[in-house]
Amino acid sequence: MSVKLNYNNVMFAKVGKHGIKREELEQMRQLAKQARAKVEASRGADMQGWMDSPYNQAEAVGRIVETAAKIRNECENFVVLGIGGSALGAIAVFNALKHLYYNELPREMRKGPRFYVIDNVDPERMNALFDIIDVSKTVFNVITKSGATSETMSQYLIITDLLKRKLGDKASRHIIATTSSNKGNLVKLAKENGFETFYIPDGVGGRFSVLSPVGLLPAAVLGIDISELLRGARETDELCKSDDLNVNPALTMAVIQYLLINKGCNINVMMPYADSLKYVADWYAQLWAESLGKERDLDGDVVNAGQTPVKALGVTDQHSQVQLYNEGPFDKVITFLEVNSFRSDIVIPQGCDGFADVNFLCGHTLAELTNKELYATRYNLTKRGRVNFTLSLDSLDEYHLGSLIYLLQLCTAYEGALLNVNAYNQPGVEGGKDATYALFGRNGYESKAEEMNNAPQDSAEFIV
């Protein structure tokens, strides 16, 4: 297995009363088996098309690789326009696998275009992009399944207007659409304008889309081996077809979180000890929060389910958040991400012979320092009875990252089944969207506008 789960430090024997007793874990085996069976029963159906992603994309991967090679040769910049799941996966893969200062490298070292993701509608951010790129030398990948995402379609309109004014009939060559094949606005616009188009399978939602063309095209443009990403996912999926908690790490993680949620751990901290995995924690935060944070369960009962994800970064957040984790409320479980073998290292040189409190570092490496600080943080948390577990990667490459991504997606699906919630909808998000449409006077949202107009107004008494 390319990703190993070590959950010793959630067990009662290690952390005491806030941990999980062996008999509690044993009592979960039947419920875990049922949860896995429930997920498997919908494999490839409804919104679980993502489970087929490691297996059924040979044709799409061929087209992606061909298109990516052309983009790498012909353009200076590749820009993703998307938000949420249409952006976070691409950002996570880019930062995990490419040079941490990729865009600052000279072209001969990058061997591909500079890469940007515009996943917000802050006007300063969009204008700042135009200050550093030449749109005539840029390909824009517009990603929205519905083609009605306000943020992404606003970006699309700005970009197409700019391209048409600058390039005329050649503008369409600079846009690639990633969208639904059979519904929505973007696929219609793509056909009308002749955009090259990649399709998001119907059963793949945004936060589960990184191993679809949503994430695979940007990755391939960057020179990432997407076949290896999918191989890592595929091998993890095969392993997790067991319902044995001693074999299936994704199921075991889900059971651990379920038991800890019931013990009051309503905060889930992901803390990678590698800068390259920082944005995996960002991607995971959406996956976990949007999938599991639900007011009602599948029986219609009000349950207000969920666990709040928090992003931290080792070693950086040892000097900020870890104080709280060690001495604050017992409401958190820490998920460490560990890389056993870094892709490069630096020896700490001699130079402080007269300073014993510095000299002990000399001759060691930064990789040693990083992983020893992880061990020390984990040890201290455990000593204080703070539950934590570790996902360890032998190294960080396409295969291991694909394995990690799929493992976390599968764990989320299992957790949804254990909590008896729909892990694939987001009604809490839709309310904000509807209110935005009403504020802009969009047809069909008149009742929402009236509701908002009649809402209690802010009182000056409470504004200082």
Side-chain angles (χ1 to χ4, degrees):
M1 175 63 182
S2 56
V3 181
K4 292 189 181 299
L5 168 67
N6 182 342
Y7 59 98
N8 275 275
N9 296 344
V10 302
M11 300 304 293
F12 179 87
K14 290 291 290 287
V15 295
K17 65 179 181 179
H18 296 287
I20 298 169
K21 294 180 179 179
R22 184 184 294 273
E23 54 266 32
E24 292 177 305
L25 198 59
E26 289 299 318
Q27 290 167 4
M28 284 294 298
R29 287 189 181 274
Q30 185 59 34
L31 187 59
K33 184 176 181 179
Q34 292 169 0
R36 196 201 70 84
K38 185 176 181 179
V39 171
E40 280 296 321
S42 296
R43 175 181 287 267
D46 299 322
M47 293 307 296
Q48 284 185 210
W50 61 271
M51 296 184 74
D52 289 338
S53 295
Y55 303 96
N56 66 356
Q57 297 192 91
E59 182 179 348
V61 166
R63 276 193 61 222
I64 287 169
V65 169
E66 183 179 342
T67 300
K70 182 178 178 182
I71 293 169
R72 287 166 62 78
N73 290 330
E74 295 181 0
C75 77
E76 291 185 0
N77 312 292
F78 185 78
V79 178
V80 166
L81 305 178
I83 197 165
S86 296
L88 286 170
I91 294 170
V93 172
F94 166 58
N95 281 274
L97 297 177
K98 300 306 294 184
H99 192 287
L100 292 174
Y101 296 101
Y102 173 86
N103 281 346
E104 283 71 46
L105 293 173
R107 175 77 190 208
E108 58 269 22
M109 292 184 68
R110 279 187 282 113
K111 299 179 180 178
R114 293 183 296 173
F115 181 64
Y116 303 96
V117 179
I118 307 301
D119 63 342
N120 212 336
V121 288
D122 184 324
E124 292 188 25
R125 184 170 181 179
M126 183 65 84
N127 282 320
L129 177 69
F130 296 147
D131 287 338
I132 61 171
I133 68 168
D134 179 347
V135 296
S136 67
K137 298 177 181 179
T138 302
V139 170
F140 297 89
N141 184 197
V142 186
I143 306 175
T144 163
K145 193 172 184 181
S146 68
T149 308
S150 297
E151 298 86 355
T152 305
M153 294 310 292
S154 296
Q155 296 168 343
Y156 164 82
L157 289 167
I158 292 166
I159 293 299
T160 51
D161 177 68
L162 187 59
L163 286 170
K164 287 176 181 177
R165 284 191 281 115
K166 190 160 188 176
L167 300 175
D169 294 340
K170 296 180 181 179
S172 62
R173 301 179 188 176
H174 293 259
I175 295 179
I176 296 176
T178 304
T179 188
S180 170
S181 64
N182 51 37
K183 57 187 175 182
N185 301 322
L186 188 55
V187 69
K188 296 174 185 175
L189 290 166
K191 290 175 180 177
E192 290 174 8
N193 292 279
F195 303 150
E196 183 161 9
T197 309
F198 290 92
Y199 298 118
I200 308 169
D202 288 342
V204 177
R207 57 188 178 273
F208 288 89
S209 68
V210 61
L211 296 176
S212 79
V214 170
L216 295 180
L217 176 61
V221 169
L222 294 163
I224 291 167
D225 188 339
I226 60 176
S227 293
E228 279 294 286
L229 277 173
L230 294 172
R231 184 173 75 87
R234 187 164 57 249
E235 294 193 7
T236 294
D237 183 52
E238 292 297 331
L239 178 70
C240 292
K241 286 180 179 176
S242 169
D243 57 21
D244 186 345
L245 294 179
N246 296 323
V247 175
N248 185 334
L251 187 59
T252 304
M253 279 177 58
V255 167
I256 287 168
Q257 294 288 19
Y258 179 80
L259 288 170
L260 290 175
I261 288 170
N262 288 327
K263 289 176 179 288
C265 280
N266 59 2
I267 298 174
N268 177 7
V269 180
M270 177 167 279
M271 192 169 186
Y273 270 71
D275 274 24
S276 51
L277 291 174
K278 177 180 180 180
Y279 290 97
V280 168
D282 281 59
W283 166 79
Y284 175 73
Q286 184 204 4
L287 179 71
W288 197 252
E290 202 167 68
S291 297
L292 305 177
K294 301 296 160 64
E295 180 181 46
R296 295 182 182 274
D297 65 13
L298 293 172
D299 298 320
D301 296 326
V302 174
V303 292
N304 298 116
Q307 189 186 44
T308 303
V310 171
K311 302 167 286 186
L313 179 65
V315 169
T316 300
D317 284 314
Q318 284 179 215
H319 296 267
S320 59
Q321 298 181 34
V322 165
Q323 170 62 34
L324 172 67
Y325 302 161
N326 270 304
E327 297 190 7
F330 286 85
D331 58 356
K332 288 169 282 293
V333 52
I334 318 298
T335 305
F336 291 110
L337 297 184
E338 176 182 38
V339 178
N340 293 320
S341 179
F342 286 80
R343 290 174 295 224
S344 67
D345 203 357
I346 298 178
V347 175
I348 302 168
Q350 303 294 326
C352 283
D353 294 347
F355 304 91
D357 55 353
V358 176
N359 184 252
F360 75 95
L361 295 167
C362 299
H364 295 285
T365 71
L366 290 184
E368 283 183 85
L369 180 57
T370 297
N371 281 341
K372 286 184 186 301
E373 292 211 38
L374 164 58
Y375 181 88
T377 300
R378 187 168 54 200
Y379 170 80
N380 198 48
L381 285 165
T382 304
K383 180 183 176 183
R384 289 175 169 271
R386 310 293 170 144
V387 290
N388 64 89
F389 62 88
T390 303
L391 290 171
S392 296
L393 288 73
D394 291 336
S395 58
L396 189 50
D397 54 21
E398 289 93 336
Y399 172 76
H400 288 86
L401 183 64
S403 177
L404 177 63
I405 286 170
Y406 196 86
L407 181 73
L408 294 173
Q409 288 181 328
L410 202 51
C411 175
T412 303
Y414 292 151
E415 194 70 32
L418 289 168
L419 293 172
N420 192 36
V421 298
N422 184 341
Y424 304 102
N425 66 355
Q426 50 277 332
V429 175
E430 300 306 321
K433 289 182 179 180
D434 292 347
T436 301
Y437 299 151
L439 289 171
F440 275 95
R442 178 175 166 180
N443 289 338
Y445 292 85
E446 292 81 6
S447 61
K448 175 61 71 173
E450 183 178 359
E451 172 195 320
M452 295 176 72
N453 287 333
N454 292 329
Q457 299 299 302
D458 291 345
S459 169
E461 179 184 358
F462 304 117
I463 300 175
V464 296

